[in-house]
Amino acid sequence: MCIRDSSTERITSDYGNWSVEVSQGGPSQQLSYQGLQPLVEKTVAFLRSQGIKADEMELGSVKTEKIDVLDPRTGELRSTTWTSKQSVLIGSWDVNKIRKISGQISSLIGQGVPLTINEPAYTYTKLAAKRVDMLAKATRDAKQRAKAIAAEAGSSIGAITNANTGTFQITVPDSTES
């Protein structure tokens, strides 16, 4: 007899990762970089004012990009612009704080800070232990169902001869993923 079962449980993420990217253009690499720095400082100050601690924030390396604009008819160089970008990486055990601030940081755009705001990523860091617990619950349930089926058939169950844990899947609450 083969009995399949599952265990379903709602878990809450306990760690959040999130990033925003600040960018600034200019006619030269130096000027775009110099224009970027006060914008990054303003972004960091905003995050600190919202409760992000120094050890929860890290600045990524500055990236610059040169963009040449050519005349479509002659192919001659019309202009060159530079864009400097720097990411601000945030990681916190306070997922509610990440959720709240990620919804508020767009106010900096209204203050003239060019931002690319990424979606936060939430993690449950105790998944290995939770998986063992959920597999044990599913096994107990499968055993009870097997006993009930065997009893109705006037039989009994024996020792497990083969076990397969199958798929372990985590989905967003109320998801239709299977």
Side-chain angles (χ1 to χ4, degrees):
M1 176 184 327
C2 177
I3 300 290
R4 296 175 190 251
D5 218 315
S6 65
S7 174
T8 303
E9 190 172 323
R10 188 172 287 244
I11 59 174
T12 302
S13 299
D14 59 1
Y15 192 79
N17 279 310
W18 175 49
S19 68
V20 294
E21 185 176 67
V22 186
S23 61
Q24 179 62 37
S28 71
Q29 187 177 33
Q30 180 183 13
L31 290 174
S32 72
Y33 175 80
Q34 289 172 345
L36 176 69
Q37 294 314 296
L39 299 173
V40 170
E41 289 169 12
K42 189 171 189 173
T43 303
V44 168
F46 172 84
L47 292 167
R48 286 201 175 138
S49 75
Q50 297 298 308
I52 299 293
K53 299 174 190 142
D55 66 343
E56 296 175 320
M57 189 175 359
E58 179 181 331
L59 294 179
S61 59
V62 174
K63 299 174 189 161
T64 60
E65 179 182 12
K66 178 182 175 186
I67 302 165
D68 290 329
V69 179
L70 303 177
D71 185 306
R73 289 176 283 164
T74 65
E76 291 182 29
L77 181 64
R78 279 191 180 171
S79 64
T80 299
T81 58
W82 287 84
T83 302
S84 294
K85 299 177 181 184
Q86 187 166 23
S87 292
V88 182
L89 312 164
I90 300 103
S92 177
W93 294 101
D94 188 343
V95 294
N96 291 324
K97 179 170 58 174
I98 294 282
R99 185 176 294 115
K100 178 183 166 227
I101 298 169
S102 68
Q104 296 174 341
I105 196 163
S106 60
S107 66
L108 284 176
I109 295 171
Q111 297 173 32
V113 179
L115 290 177
T116 300
I117 304 168
N118 298 305
E119 287 289 324
Y122 300 104
T123 306
Y124 181 69
T125 60
K126 301 171 190 92
L127 188 57
K130 180 58 72 179
R131 183 175 191 267
V132 170
D133 177 55
M134 291 182 75
L135 287 172
K137 288 177 184 175
T139 302
R140 280 191 299 273
D141 188 55
K143 183 177 179 182
Q144 289 173 349
R145 287 183 52 218
K147 282 181 176 179
I149 291 169
E152 285 297 315
S155 186
S156 63
I157 64 170
I160 293 176
T161 58
N162 186 11
N164 182 342
T165 61
T167 310
F168 190 79
Q169 183 177 15
I170 297 175
T171 57
V172 175
D174 305 320
S175 170
T176 57
E177 293 180 37
S178 59

